[in-house]
Amino acid sequence: MVYLNGEFMPVERAKISVLDRGFIFGDGVYEVIPVYSRRPFRLQEHLARLQSSLDMIRIGNPHSSAKWSEVIGKIIADNPWSDQNVYLQITRGAAKRDHAFPKDLKPTVFIMANELIHPTPELMQSGAAAIVLPDFRWLRCDIKSTSLLGNCMLRTQAADAGCAEAILVRDGLLTEASASNVFIVRNGTVLTPPKSHLILPGITYDVVLEILRANAIAHEVRLVAESELRSADEVWVTSSSREVLPITTLDGKPVGRGEAAGKPGPVAQRVYDLYQQFKASVMRAPTHA
Ligand code: PDD
């Protein structure tokens, strides 16, 4: 079951105009919200980021927070899986093709859910492979825009190289990955770049920083040089679907040194465990985060 402009229907029945600016220009924004045991995780934070994306591209929010919660709740209830990925997208709506944003269009609102596929225990044990690529995307990566051609090209290049993710660098500095944020560990300190127009402000990124703070794990939010990435002791990517996933090879070379090279590191393991505990505690609470 999906939701389109006020109605719930099977996906085959969901149709939009070919003049929709989402189709013509990629003129829209989206969110992906993980759902555990039928409860959305960090829903208010996802809705706040949605509001900020809408504000930045000047689309009025078609729903209140309460209405979003209600509609998302119904999608979760109407789909068969206990753990889901809820995808929601808002485009500016349909209009005669013209680059400048037309005023007063009715936004198109679409929501669907898929089964949430967790990284397998084997993948967590082995870690994943990544390649490092130049970040050639635009300069407003803070907007969660559906215009994802750059990200799709970069992820495809990674997949062609047999890798799970493309880690991106711009002007000698780490930005993020094609669909995740990046953390590294050097000499026991966790490092990640600060939020800026060059990266998506990840909800998982925020959760991981909260966990690091709450557990007094040494960390710094600061610019990270490509050379620091390439000589890191540990590299992880974070996202709603991958949670905290260790990267154990970069461009075919093992991450880390000596005995530990090419294996998930101890800090990744600890943060992964803390993330699972945090999720479980939030999901048990009567009012969830
Ligand atoms: N991707 N950076 C980029 C470019 C992303 O696309 C994502 C998420 C993230 C991590 O954000 P979060 O922790 O809020 O999931 C960072 C989603 C999952 C996607 O496009 O499918």
Side-chain angles (χ1 to χ4, degrees):
M1 209 54 119
V2 304
Y3 172 93
L4 180 64
N5 298 330
E7 280 183 67
F8 294 87
M9 59 188 81
V11 69
E12 298 75 26
R13 267 197 43 221
K15 302 274 191 285
I16 58 156
S17 164
V18 290
L19 291 181
D20 194 287
R21 289 178 60 98
F23 179 60
I24 299 282
F25 290 118
D27 183 359
V29 297
Y30 76 105
E31 280 295 323
V32 179
I33 306 164
V35 173
Y36 304 109
S37 307
R38 296 200 182 267
R39 299 174 80 171
F41 183 62
R42 294 254 145 162
L43 179 59
Q44 292 316 317
E45 287 80 355
H46 280 279
L47 293 179
R49 184 173 65 184
L50 177 67
Q51 183 68 57
S52 130
S53 296
L54 287 168
D55 290 347
M56 288 187 284
I57 70 164
R58 299 200 237 157
I59 294 180
N61 195 332
H63 295 319
S64 65
S65 248
K67 177 73 179 173
W68 280 119
S69 304
E70 179 198 318
V71 176
I72 291 168
K74 184 149 167 42
I75 281 288
I76 295 171
D78 283 355
N79 277 287
W81 317 283
S82 161
D83 289 0
Q84 307 178 14
N85 245 324
V86 170
Y87 174 90
L88 71 87
Q89 153 165 351
I90 302 166
T91 72
R92 198 174 306 276
K96 185 166 181 294
R97 185 176 182 277
D98 175 14
H99 286 63
F101 298 156
K103 293 206 172 62
D104 305 323
L105 289 189
K106 193 170 172 296
T108 302
V109 181
F110 173 61
I111 312 180
M112 65 177 167
N114 282 297
E115 185 175 12
L116 179 66
I117 308 292
H118 300 275
T120 60
E122 293 76 38
L123 185 63
M124 291 307 300
Q125 285 285 310
S126 64
I131 51 173
V132 181
L133 292 175
D135 191 347
F136 58 64
R137 301 171 305 159
W138 69 333
L139 296 173
R140 292 307 309 273
C141 297
D142 51 330
I143 303 173
K144 201 162 171 62
S145 161
T146 56
S147 307
L148 287 173
L149 193 52
N151 303 63
C152 294
M153 288 169 73
L154 291 158
R155 176 61 79 84
T156 302
Q157 221 177 308
D160 288 348
C163 290
E165 191 48 300
I167 294 183
L168 309 177
V169 292
R170 194 193 282 270
D171 300 329
L173 296 171
L174 168 66
T175 53
E176 57 176 344
S178 72
S180 44
N181 292 108
V182 181
F183 290 73
I184 70 166
V185 181
R186 293 178 61 86
N187 307 319
T189 301
V190 182
L191 304 173
T192 195
K195 289 181 186 174
S196 75
H197 60 293
L198 298 178
I199 71 171
L200 185 82
I203 304 298
T204 321
Y205 167 105
D206 281 340
V207 174
V208 167
L209 285 175
E210 277 174 41
I211 287 174
L212 297 173
R213 243 176 268 131
N215 294 278
I217 299 172
H219 64 282
E220 279 177 52
V221 177
R222 64 150 171 88
L223 298 178
V224 175
E226 178 178 352
S227 55
E228 294 180 299
L229 164 72
R230 289 190 183 275
S231 59
D233 301 316
E234 297 186 25
V235 177
W236 341 315
V237 294
T238 68
S239 77
S240 293
S241 43
R242 287 177 159 169
E243 303 184 335
V244 179
L245 177 66
I247 298 297
T248 43
T249 67
L250 271 187
D251 290 343
K253 297 189 198 73
V255 172
R257 268 177 287 275
E259 281 281 284
K263 299 193 192 110
V267 191
Q269 188 59 55
R270 179 152 182 235
V271 171
Y272 175 82
D273 291 343
L274 289 166
Y275 193 91
Q276 298 308 320
Q277 281 168 30
F278 178 81
K279 241 169 61 181
S281 70
V282 165
M283 293 297 119
R284 271 196 308 272
T287 51
H288 51 281

